[in-house]
C-alpha cells in the first residue's frame, strides 16, 4: 500500500470550490449531529490540518456518532477499532503470516491501514497496544518485523474516550496525547437541539442513511489548499509566545511541546480557510488554544488541589498574553474602525495580492 505523494494531491482549489466542498461535508454531518456546528467544523479543520482528533466526554453525547458521521461523509477507506484490554498491537498495525503455498511470510495489514481510523474508547486498551499508534500517528507509517509500510493520504485517527469511567481504563501517556492535534468535548445539546434529535432519531438512526458528499481526491485538494494559507511573521511569533507561556506558567509543571506549536499553526490555517480567508488571524490562534494545547499540558499539584483545569489555565494565559502590535481587523474585532495601515489591507494578508 503506497502513500499518495504531494504531486498526486492535485492543485489547490479556488475559494468558491473550497467553500462548497467543506460546507457540504459540514452540512452532511449535521444531519446526524444536532446543534454542534462549531464542534463539527473543528473536527473537519483537524482533518484538513493533517492531524488527529481526540473526542472526550461523558457517555451518550454522540462522540462515536460524530466520528462515524465524518468518516461516512467522505468516500474513502474507513476502519473502526473497538479498544479493549485484550486488544493486541498486531490487531492495530498488522502481522506477518506464514504462507504455506509460497513458503514465505506475507504481511496482513491491520485496521490502521485506512484513510480514517475510528478508535472507540481508546483508553480501554493497554499501554502496549496504545503505543502501536505512536509511529503511525506521527510518521504516517507502520513498521512490522523490520519492514516499513507507508500509510495513505489523507490519514486521520479519531479516538473517543470517557473521562469518568475509571474501571478497566489506562490513561493515555503524554507522548500519545501530544500526537492528537486537538481534544474536543461534545457537551450536552440545548433543549431545541435535543428536541430536534428526538424527531430525527426517534424512529430510525440517520447515520445509516448518510451518503458521502466528498471523496479522498477532493480531501487531498482541500489539504493542499490549506497548506497555501498565508501566515504573517507576527502571527507566527504570537503562536510561539502562546506556547512559551504554557512552559513558564506557575500552574503548569509540563508545558506544550514544539509539536504543539506546529499543529496550532496548521489547524489555524485550516480554520482560516474554512472561514473563507487565505491568511491567519491572531483570533484563530486564540480560539484554538484550548482545544489544541490544554490536553498536552500537566498542571501542578497545587493547581489540581485548587481544582483548576488545564482548560481554565490555558484560557487564562490567552487572555493575559498581549496580542501582536497593530492587530489586524477581524470578524470578531469590536473596536471602532480606523485602525490599520490606511490601505484597507490587513498586515497579516499576503502583500502580493
Amino acid at each position: 500500500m503506497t502513500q499518495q505523494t504531494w504531486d498526486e494531491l492535485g492543485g489547490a482549489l479556488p475559494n468558491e470550490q473550497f467553500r462548497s466542498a467543506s460546507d457540504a461535508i459540514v452540512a452532511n454531518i449535521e444531519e446526524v449531529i444536532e446543534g454542534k456546528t462549531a464542534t463539527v467544523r473543528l473536527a473537519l479543520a483537524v482533518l484538513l490540518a493533517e492531524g488527529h482528533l481526540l473526542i472526550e466526554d461523558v457517555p451518550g453525547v454522540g462522540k462515536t456518532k460524530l466520528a462515524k458521521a465524518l468518516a461516512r461523509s467522505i468516500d474513502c477507506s474507513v476502519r473502526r477499532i473497538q479498544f479493549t484490554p485484550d486488544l493486541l498491537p498486531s490487531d492495530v498495525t498488522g502481522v506477518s503470516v506464514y504462507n504455506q503455498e509460497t513458503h514465505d511470510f506475507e504481511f496482513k495489514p491491520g485496521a490502521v491501514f485506512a484513510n480514517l481510523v475510528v478508535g472507540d474508547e481508546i483508553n480501554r486498551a493497554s499501554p502496549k497496544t496504545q503505543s502501536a499508534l505512536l509511529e503511525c500517528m506521527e510518521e504516517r507509517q507502520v513498521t512490522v518485523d523490520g519492514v516499513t509500510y507507508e500509510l495513505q493520504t489523507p490519514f486521520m485517527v479519531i479516538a473517543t474516550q470517557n473521562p469518568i469511567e475509571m474501571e478497566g481504563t489506562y490513561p493515555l501517556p503524554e507522548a500519545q496525547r501530544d500526537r492528537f492535534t486537538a481534544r474536543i468535548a461534545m457537551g450536552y445539546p440545548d433543549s431545541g437541539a435535543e428536541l430536534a434529535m428526538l424527531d430525527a432519531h426517534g424512529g430510525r438512526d440517520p447515520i445509516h442513511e448518510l451518503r458521502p458528499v466528498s471523496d479522498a481526491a477532493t480531501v487531498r485538494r482541500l489539504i493542499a489548499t490549506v497548506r497555501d494559507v498565508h501566515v504573517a511573521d507576527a502571527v507566527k511569533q504570537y503562536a510561539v509566545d502562546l506556547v512559551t507561556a504554557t512552559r513558564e506558567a506557575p500552574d503548569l509543571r509540563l508545558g506544550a511541546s514544539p509539536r504543539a506549536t506546529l499543529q496550532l499553526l496548521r489547524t489555524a490555517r485550516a480554520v482560516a480557510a474554512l472561514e473563507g480567508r487565505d491568511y491567519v488571524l491572531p483570533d484563530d490562534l486564540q480560539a484554538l488554544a484550548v482545544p489544541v494545547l490544554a490536553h498536552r499540558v500537566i498542571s501542578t499539584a497545587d493547581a489540581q488541589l485548587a481544582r483548576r483545569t488545564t482548560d481554565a489555565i490555558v484560557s487564562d494565559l490567552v487572555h493575559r498574553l498581549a496580542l501582536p502590535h497593530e492587530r489586524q481587523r477581524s470578524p470578531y474585532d469590536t473596536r471602532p474602525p480606523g485602525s490599520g495601515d490606511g490601505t484597507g489591507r490587513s498586515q497579516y494578508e499576503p502583500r502580493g495580492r
Side-chain angles (χ1 to χ4, degrees):
M1 190 171 292
T2 58
Q3 185 181 27
Q4 297 283 346
T5 66
W6 285 114
D7 292 338
E8 295 171 319
L9 284 181
L13 290 172
N15 184 57
E16 288 302 319
Q17 292 185 31
F18 183 95
R19 290 294 298 272
S20 176
S22 59
D23 288 348
I25 296 173
V26 171
N28 204 50
I29 297 173
E30 287 189 312
E31 292 185 11
V32 176
I33 305 297
E34 304 284 346
K36 297 292 179 183
T37 301
T39 302
V40 170
R41 293 180 72 84
L42 179 55
L44 178 58
V46 172
L47 171 64
L48 301 185
E50 303 169 84
H52 309 287
L53 184 66
L54 178 62
I55 310 175
E56 182 180 275
D57 214 324
V58 296
V61 293
K63 300 185 301 297
T64 305
K65 200 168 288 292
L66 171 62
K68 291 173 68 176
L70 175 59
R72 283 175 178 262
S73 297
I74 303 168
D75 189 16
C76 55
S77 57
V78 180
R79 298 289 294 274
R80 182 180 181 274
I81 309 173
Q82 179 63 53
F83 282 83
T84 56
D86 60 347
L87 190 73
L88 298 176
S90 58
D91 297 328
V92 177
T93 59
V95 64
S96 295
V97 179
Y98 184 74
N99 189 325
Q100 293 184 347
E101 294 182 359
T102 62
H103 302 288
D104 197 4
F105 285 91
E106 60 181 42
F107 179 65
K108 299 293 184 182
V112 79
F113 284 86
N115 294 119
L116 271 74
V117 179
V118 180
D120 205 8
E121 295 183 316
I122 190 173
N123 56 333
R124 287 196 174 277
S126 66
K128 183 177 182 180
T129 301
Q130 291 180 15
S131 66
L133 288 171
L134 296 181
E135 181 184 13
C136 30
M137 291 176 69
E138 178 63 19
E139 301 173 45
R140 304 298 201 273
Q141 65 183 28
V142 173
T143 302
V144 178
D145 295 334
V147 181
T148 299
Y149 304 90
E150 299 290 335
L151 298 175
Q152 291 180 320
T153 299
F155 173 71
M156 181 184 187
V157 174
I158 310 174
T160 71
Q161 68 172 353
N162 299 328
I164 65 171
E165 292 187 9
M166 301 304 295
E167 248 182 89
T169 62
Y170 302 85
L172 295 182
E174 288 78 7
Q176 187 165 0
R177 288 206 311 269
D178 196 45
R179 280 165 169 77
F180 283 103
T181 300
R183 180 191 63 182
I184 62 175
M186 296 294 295
Y188 293 113
D190 57 38
S191 58
E194 195 160 4
L195 185 61
M197 180 194 71
L198 295 179
D199 292 333
H201 299 246
R204 58 182 176 81
D205 190 351
I207 190 72
H208 299 304
E209 300 177 5
L210 211 60
R211 293 292 178 264
V213 294
S214 185
D215 54 25
T218 302
V219 172
R220 286 193 287 269
R221 295 192 66 185
L222 293 174
I223 291 173
T225 306
V226 166
R227 283 188 152 221
D228 287 341
V229 172
H230 174 73
V231 183
D233 291 340
V235 176
K236 294 177 183 176
Q237 185 61 54
Y238 181 63
V240 171
D241 292 344
L242 192 55
V243 174
T244 301
T246 67
R247 301 167 189 164
E248 299 173 350
D251 287 335
L252 298 175
R253 62 184 177 91
L254 177 67
S257 65
R259 182 191 285 123
T261 314
L262 285 171
Q263 295 188 348
L264 178 63
L265 210 57
R266 289 174 182 170
T267 313
R269 279 191 169 106
V271 168
L274 291 174
E275 292 292 332
R277 289 180 275 110
D278 60 355
Y279 56 92
V280 175
L281 297 174
D283 305 72
D284 299 326
L285 300 180
Q286 287 185 316
L288 291 169
V290 171
V292 174
L293 302 180
H295 66 288
R296 306 170 187 270
V297 300
I298 300 178
S299 56
T300 61
D302 290 341
Q304 293 175 18
L305 287 173
R307 301 200 172 187
R308 293 203 69 200
T309 64
T310 55
D311 290 38
I313 295 171
V314 172
S315 180
D316 185 54
L317 292 175
V318 171
H319 286 93
R320 286 191 297 164
L321 188 65
L323 285 161
H325 184 59
E326 295 181 357
R327 175 188 175 202
Q328 165 184 346
R329 301 292 300 174
S330 80
Y332 310 102
D333 198 337
T334 58
R335 298 177 303 168
S339 58
D341 61 4
T343 65
R345 186 188 299 275
S346 161
Q347 64 168 316
Y348 304 123
E349 194 172 347
R351 290 292 141 193
R353 297 179 60 81

